[in-house]
Amino acid sequence: MLYAVFMSSALPPFPDLQEPLDEPRLLEVGSAPDEPCLRADAARNRAKLLQAAARLIAEQGVAGVTMEAVAAAAQVGKGTVFRRFGDRTGLLLALLDHSARQLQADFLGGPPPLGPGAPPLERLRAFGVAVLRHSAERLDLQLAAQPEPTRRFSHPALRALRAHVVMLLRQIQPDADCELLSLTLLAYLDPALISHLIRQCEMPMERLEAGWTDLVDRVTGAAPPR
C-alpha cells in the first residue's frame, strides 16, 4: 500500500512514568502556559491521569470519561484533575494531543510519501489520507474534544496541521494565496464532516480518500495520480 504509516484505532501507549520528562514535544494541546516547566512529580501525575482516562475510553467509550471517574481511576482527588486540565474538554484535548503528536511526527519526520523525501504534491495527498484515517479511528474523542468556534482555528493542533499544508502548497503553487487555500483543504478534514459522511451518509473510507486526492489535484492544478 502506498501510504504505509498510519496508526491503529487504539491510542498510542503513553510514555513510561520513569522516562525523561524534558523530552521535546511536537504539540502542546490544552496545556497551561508553563507546561514545559512542570515539576517531575506534576508531570508524573499528569501522565497517570491520562493513562486512567485512556483506560476509561477503552472500557466505556468517551462518555465514561468524567473528571470524577478519572480521579477515581487514578486514585487521586477530583481537585487534582481539575487543576491539571481545567475541565473535561481540557482533559479530552490532552488525550488528543498525545495521538496528534504521533501524527505530526509522522508527517514531519516519518518515511515518504507522508514524511520528507517525496515531492510536495505526493506528501500533500498522503497527508490528507493520514488525517482522514487518524480522525475516523478517533471520531468520538475528536467530536467530544472540539474547541468552541472562537478557539477552533487558533488551536495548536489545527495550527500545526495548517502550517504543514501551507508549506506544501507554497512549494507546489508559490503564487497562490496558500493560507486561504490551506483552510479550504482542511475544511474537508473537519472531524464533524468526516463523522457525517461516514456515519450518516455511509460513505466508505476509500471514497473519502479519493475525494481528498481529487480536491488536492483540482486546487493545485496537478495531473491526477496514475
Side-chain angles (χ1 to χ4, degrees), residues 29-35 38 46 49-50 65-68 70 77-95 151:
V29 181
S31 302
D34 61 343
E35 187 76 23
L38 280 178
R46 185 177 189 274
L49 291 168
L50 289 176
V65 179
T66 65
M67 305 298 267
E68 294 80 2
V70 171
K78 185 171 65 174
T80 300
V81 188
F82 279 97
R83 284 193 298 272
R84 184 71 270 134
F85 301 106
D87 55 19
R88 182 174 183 268
T89 297
L91 172 61
L92 295 176
L93 284 171
L95 285 168
R151 295 169 51 202

Side-chain angles (χ1 to χ4, degrees), residues 128-144:
V129 173
V131 175
L132 279 169
R133 295 184 180 182
H134 178 266
S135 295
E137 292 165 351
R138 297 165 176 81
L139 271 180
D140 289 335
L141 181 57
Q142 294 259 12
L143 295 175

Side-chain angles (χ1 to χ4, degrees), residues 190-204:
D190 182 75
L193 177 60
I194 296 171
S195 175
H196 171 70
L197 294 177
I198 292 176
R199 294 175 172 176
Q200 276 73 54
C201 300
E202 299 183 348
M203 290 187 185

Side-chain angles (χ1 to χ4, degrees), residues 11-57:
L11 286 169
F14 285 91
D16 185 86
L17 299 184
Q18 301 303 317
E19 71 180 28
L21 298 170
D22 57 352
E23 184 176 352
R25 292 184 175 184
L26 295 169
L27 288 177
E28 290 295 341
V29 181
S31 302
D34 61 343
E35 187 76 23
C37 301
L38 280 178
R39 299 190 314 273
D41 57 343
R44 281 192 291 269
N45 284 338
R46 185 177 189 274
K48 181 180 179 180
L49 291 168
L50 289 176
Q51 288 173 341
R55 287 197 302 270
L56 287 172
I57 288 180

Side-chain angles (χ1 to χ4, degrees), residues 125 188 208-220 222 224-225:
R125 290 169 177 158
Y188 185 89
L208 270 63
E209 293 174 8
W212 166 261
T213 300
D214 182 57
L215 178 61
V216 166
D217 291 343
R218 292 177 187 276
V219 165
T220 61

